[in-house]
């Protein structure tokens, strides 16, 4: 069980050293984003209990996109995963700033 978890969380390996370096950075970034988004979403649900606010829906969408990008990374699509995660960050920040509570929204911390 522990070996499967280590294998799942380890970055994929490629023949090219540059791709290995990119995969390592993307792996850490995506896992960190997933953990931070999960904690932030749960904290917002527990502390505010306001149901599904626009910023909460944006965070749930971000969790889904991060999981999709991790799947792309595991299949070897490094450039696509990088592009999608950057695009998602811009869109999520835009949505939170326009529809949520602006810069005072707790999810802007992500």
């Amino acid at each position: 069980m522990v070996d499967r978890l280590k294998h799942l969380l380890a970055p994929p390996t490629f023949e090219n050293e540059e791709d290995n370096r990119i995969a390592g950075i993307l792996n850490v970034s995506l896992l960190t984003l997933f953990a931070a988004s999960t904690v932030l979403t749960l904290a917002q649900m527990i502390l505010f209990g306001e149901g599904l606010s626009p910023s909460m829906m944006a965070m749930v969408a971000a969790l889904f996109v991060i999981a999709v990008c991790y799947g792309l990374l595991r299949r070897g699509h490094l450039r696509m995963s990088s592009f999608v995660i950057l695009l998602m960050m811009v869109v999520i920040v835009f949505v939170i700033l326009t529809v949520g509570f602006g810069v005072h929204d707790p999810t802007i911390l992500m």
Side-chain angles (χ1 to χ4, degrees), residues 3 14 21 23 25 27 33 35-37 43-44 48 51 63 66 70 75 78 81 83 93-95 100 103-104:
D3 291 334
F14 302 99
R21 190 171 36 252
I25 292 169
N27 188 52
L33 279 173
S37 297
Q44 198 174 26
F48 299 111
L63 283 170
I66 292 168
Y70 195 73
R75 287 183 176 80
L78 300 175
S81 179
F83 178 73
V93 168
F94 177 76
V95 168
V103 295
H104 302 292

Side-chain angles (χ1 to χ4, degrees), residues 20-59:
N20 284 332
R21 190 171 36 252
I22 292 171
I25 292 169
L26 262 175
N27 188 52
V28 170
S29 300
L30 288 173
L31 291 175
T32 304
L33 279 173
F34 189 80
S37 297
T38 303
V39 167
L40 215 52
T41 302
L42 291 176
Q44 198 174 26
M45 284 173 33
I46 291 170
L47 294 176
F48 299 111
E50 59 193 31
L52 281 177
S53 67
S55 61
M56 180 82 82
M57 289 187 295
M59 291 301 291

Side-chain angles (χ1 to χ4, degrees), residues 2 5 7 10 21 23 30-31 38 40 48-49 64-66 69 72 77-79 93-95 99 101 110:
V2 174
L5 188 61
H7 177 70
R21 190 171 36 252
L30 288 173
L31 291 175
T38 303
L40 215 52
F48 299 111
F64 177 73
V65 172
I66 292 168
C69 286
L72 287 171
H77 301 288
L78 300 175
R79 307 300 190 264
V93 168
F94 177 76
V95 168
V99 180
F101 296 115
M110 187 192 94

